Amino acid sequence: MSATAEGTWTRVGAPGDVPVLEGRAVTVAGRRIAVFRLDDGGWAAVDAACPHKGGPLQDGIVGDGCVTCPLHQQRFRFTDLVAHEVRVDGDGIFVRLAGAA
Ligand code: FES
């Protein structure tokens, strides 16, 4: 997905770009972020590199508030990963990096 800067929030795509229970990789300020659409209507955004050995979390299996990394099948709760703010507004998904003002 493409990203367009908009203040501290960055538009990273449209909700229709991400099917339910899937993730997509985006780049925000040079940082690789995995954006996930959850089955409860919510969204999650975390660093895309798996904390184990850098696997592509955006390609992981999503469920029960967790993502399972496709490389070695380790399962991580979204709340235990480096999480970023994510919101959907109209036709945009917006991400604000953790620690951003
Ligand atoms: S790199 Fe993700 S589980 Fe090993």
Side-chain angles (χ1 to χ4, degrees):
M1 294 193 294
S2 62
T4 306
E6 190 172 280
T8 56
W9 288 91
T10 301
R11 185 182 190 279
V12 297
D17 295 338
V18 188
V20 175
L21 293 179
E22 289 193 21
R24 292 291 183 269
V26 300
T27 303
V28 179
R31 191 162 169 177
R32 201 83 167 135
I33 306 295
V35 175
F36 296 94
R37 186 173 196 158
L38 309 180
D39 55 358
D40 63 359
W43 294 78
V46 299
D47 281 354
C50 175
H52 178 225
K53 289 193 175 178
L57 285 183
Q58 72 274 5
D59 296 332
I61 308 243
V62 179
D64 299 327
C66 300
V67 58
T68 301
C69 179
L71 273 197
H72 308 104
Q73 287 70 53
Q74 288 192 28
R75 194 166 188 244
F76 302 94
R77 296 203 71 77
F78 286 117
T79 52
D80 293 334
L81 296 166
V82 177
H84 307 284
E85 292 179 84
V86 57
R87 67 180 169 85
V88 170
D89 189 357
D91 67 346
I93 305 169
F94 296 83
V95 169
R96 182 159 67 177
L97 296 179

